[in-house]
Amino acid sequence: PGQLIAGQPGQNRTVPGVDRHLAAPLYEVSALSLQLWEKGDWSPSVQVSYPAGEYQGLWWAPDGEKYLLAFRQGGEPRLDLCLREQSVCRDLTACLAGFPAEGTEYQFLQWSEDGGALLLHYREAAGQSGYFWYDIASGEVSGVWEMGENG
């Protein structure tokens, strides 16, 4: 593993030992259903269902209002960004389609401190790879760091 210059968008810091390979599946299931509960009265608020797939992980944002779910469906990698307040899930892989090239796979690395952005790793089908920040509110990409092949 090499080093990644990371931190909040616009800041830099070194994070040693970043794994540059996409994660292996944690478990394979025929379907997954998540029930979100309201803190306080513990009443169910939102239920989100996903089809059969290989699930790789679920990461809550620091603000507790959204999460990112990584899985493979039909062999294709997918990242879903779920916003609790709006009761909506966004197929982040589809939102990013074509960036920086067609056939690119994405891997979640970390949330920004305020939960407003995601640090993602990408690997193009041609072997090029790198890192970038994805702003959740605007849908914009910033801080792109290209690693080249074998990066």
Side-chain angles (χ1 to χ4, degrees):
Q3 292 188 343
L4 166 67
I5 304 301
Q8 298 303 304
Q11 299 176 346
N12 291 328
R13 69 184 153 148
T14 302
V15 179
V18 173
D19 184 5
R20 297 191 199 299
H21 302 287
L22 296 177
L26 292 177
Y27 51 93
E28 190 168 342
V29 295
S30 58
L32 177 66
S33 182
L34 301 173
Q35 180 71 58
L36 306 181
W37 300 83
E38 289 299 324
K39 190 175 177 182
D41 65 0
W42 296 105
S43 61
S45 61
V46 177
Q47 183 166 0
V48 183
S49 296
Y50 294 94
E54 299 170 356
Y55 291 87
Q56 297 173 308
L58 185 146
W59 300 272
W60 281 96
D63 63 9
E65 293 300 319
K66 50 197 157 288
Y67 66 84
L68 187 78
L69 179 70
F71 62 101
R72 286 188 173 274
Q73 186 177 23
E76 294 295 316
R78 182 169 158 180
L79 295 175
D80 264 22
L81 176 63
C82 296
L83 310 173
R84 241 178 87 179
E85 267 186 23
Q86 300 168 6
S87 298
V88 72
C89 288
R90 199 183 305 168
D91 181 350
L92 191 56
T93 306
C95 293
L96 293 169
F99 172 81
E102 292 300 322
T104 299
E105 290 190 14
Y106 309 97
Q107 178 185 13
F108 170 77
L109 295 178
Q110 73 181 45
W111 288 95
S112 62
E113 288 179 11
D114 67 358
L118 301 165
L119 179 62
L120 300 171
H121 173 262
Y122 71 87
R123 181 173 305 280
E124 297 174 28
Q128 300 285 350
S129 69
Y131 303 89
F132 64 92
W133 284 99
Y134 174 80
D135 184 274
I136 293 168
S138 69
E140 293 182 5
V141 168
S142 65
V144 179
W145 184 35
E146 295 179 0
M147 297 292 295
E149 290 185 39
N150 303 322

